[in-house]
């Protein structure tokens, strides 16, 4: 039998431990390292393990967007996700780059965006707006899966934490 005084002091001891930083609910956020960009990449999870999905830039060209032709040329590119589930598959960042592989404009594309003819149902297309389209030398994909936005420790100490995808690339990043 535990004395009543010990039972009464137990909650107080837990509060003191929690306030001193000795809590058992440790929450750590880490960011995965950005993988090497390419026109064809094996999509990887936050631990760097392949998901069994390949993302591919099928082709690209400069042309005015049909809905806003007055804005000039944009990068129109087609992509494919081989091995993806079209409803809940991965996402990768796509970037228009110059000859030195410097990002001129980027955005995330999802395998669920893919649509196309019956012989290639996981092919889709999208547009990238860049400031100087004449500098575009290609479109590259970054292999890190961006489809899961895990909670951070800052947002949720109890359920957050873990490895998060790398920050999305921005204009000026070298890929």
């Amino acid at each position: 039998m535990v004395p009543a005084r010990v039972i009464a002091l137990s909650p107080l001891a837990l509060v003191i431990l929690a306030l001193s930083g000795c809590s058992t609910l440790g929450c750590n956020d880490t960011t995965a390292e950005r993988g090497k960009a390419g026109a064809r990449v094996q999509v990887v999870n936050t631990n760097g393990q392949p998901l069994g999905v390949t993302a591919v830039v099928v082709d690209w060209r400069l042309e005015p967007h049909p809905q806003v032709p007055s804005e000039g040329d944009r990068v129109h590119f087609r992509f494919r996700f081989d091995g993806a589930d079209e409803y809940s598959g991965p996402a990768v960042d796509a970037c228009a780059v110059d000859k030195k592989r410097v990002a001129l404009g980027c955005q995330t594309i999802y395998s669920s965006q893919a649509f196309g003819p019956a012989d290639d149902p996981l092919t889709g297309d999208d547009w990238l707006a860049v400031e100087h389209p004449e500098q575009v030398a290609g479109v590259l994909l970054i292999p890190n899966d961006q489809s899961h936005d895990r909670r951070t420790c800052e947002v949720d100490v109890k359920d957050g934490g873990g490895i998060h995808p790398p920050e999305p690339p921005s204009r000026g990043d070298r890929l």
Side-chain angles (χ1 to χ4, degrees):
M1 180 166 216
V2 179
R5 187 167 29 189
V6 171
I7 293 173
L9 291 176
S10 294
L12 180 60
L14 290 174
V15 169
I16 291 170
L17 284 174
L19 291 175
S20 69
C22 297
S23 173
T24 58
L25 296 176
C27 186
N28 293 311
D29 283 321
T30 56
T31 302
E33 199 165 308
R34 185 181 293 163
K36 183 174 171 64
R40 177 184 199 86
V41 296
Q42 291 289 322
V43 182
V44 296
N45 65 16
T46 53
N47 292 319
Q49 301 301 311
L51 296 177
V53 175
T54 302
V56 180
V57 175
V58 176
D59 63 23
W60 69 274
R61 63 190 168 280
L62 295 176
E63 62 185 6
H65 191 287
Q67 294 176 338
V68 283
S70 63
E71 291 182 5
D73 283 344
R74 291 190 180 180
V75 180
H76 184 202
F77 69 102
R78 289 188 330 120
F79 57 89
R80 185 176 64 243
F81 283 89
D82 294 324
D85 174 343
E86 64 184 297
Y87 300 108
S88 61
V92 296
D93 289 320
C95 297
V97 297
D98 67 11
K99 290 179 184 178
K100 295 181 180 179
R101 296 175 61 110
V102 173
L104 302 172
C106 301
Q107 69 184 38
T108 303
I109 55 170
Y110 295 81
S111 62
S112 60
Q113 288 176 265
F115 59 92
D119 61 330
D120 200 359
L122 293 180
T123 299
D125 73 317
D126 213 331
W127 299 80
L128 291 165
V130 296
E131 194 171 325
H132 298 286
E134 70 281 359
Q135 294 178 353
V136 176
V139 175
L140 299 179
L141 305 174
I142 298 173
N144 306 84
D145 182 16
Q146 295 285 344
S147 64
H148 299 291
D149 188 20
R150 297 180 64 167
R151 292 177 173 219
T152 63
C153 293
E154 185 177 299
V155 172
D156 188 344
V157 175
K158 181 178 173 242
D159 297 322
I163 301 176
H164 301 278
E167 289 294 318
S170 337
R171 192 169 22 151
D173 286 357
R174 184 173 218 150
L175 306 178

